[in-house]
Amino acid sequence: FKYQIENLTNAAIEIIDLLGGKIEQRFITDFKGIEQVNTAAYNKGIYIYRLVSKNKIIAVNKFAVY
């Protein structure tokens, strides 16, 4: 996932399944970059990822695992 963020205070990328369960959370240590996620252990389906900073959602998108 590509991202760009202005404030790194408690910034993280969260991956959530369609039932609302948090699958993974990764804390961000750089203002912009690319985060790669290994989905080999994920079940097939649709997932949502969101960029969160200071407990506020900055961006949301989805991806599929086949």
Side-chain angles (χ1 to χ4, degrees), residues 15 37-47 62-66:
I15 299 176
V37 176
N38 183 351
T39 60
Y42 292 12
N43 291 325
K44 292 179 182 178
I46 305 293
Y47 292 85
K62 60 186 172 185
F63 67 97
V65 175
Y66 298 99

Side-chain angles (χ1 to χ4, degrees), residues 13-16 21-26 36-38 42:
I13 293 175
E14 299 176 341
I15 299 176
I16 300 158
K22 191 183 298 184
I23 305 298
E24 190 172 346
Q25 180 176 13
R26 295 178 176 211
Q36 293 185 344
V37 176
N38 183 351
Y42 292 12

Side-chain angles (χ1 to χ4, degrees), residues 17-59:
D17 64 20
L18 286 182
L19 298 176
K22 191 183 298 184
I23 305 298
E24 190 172 346
Q25 180 176 13
R26 295 178 176 211
F27 291 98
I28 297 173
T29 58
D30 197 5
F31 283 103
K32 74 177 189 179
I34 297 174
E35 187 72 25
Q36 293 185 344
V37 176
N38 183 351
T39 60
Y42 292 12
N43 291 325
K44 292 179 182 178
I46 305 293
Y47 292 85
I48 297 168
Y49 67 92
R50 61 187 180 192
L51 181 58
V52 179
S53 179
K54 293 191 209 176
N55 295 321
K56 293 183 181 176
I57 298 172
I58 306 297

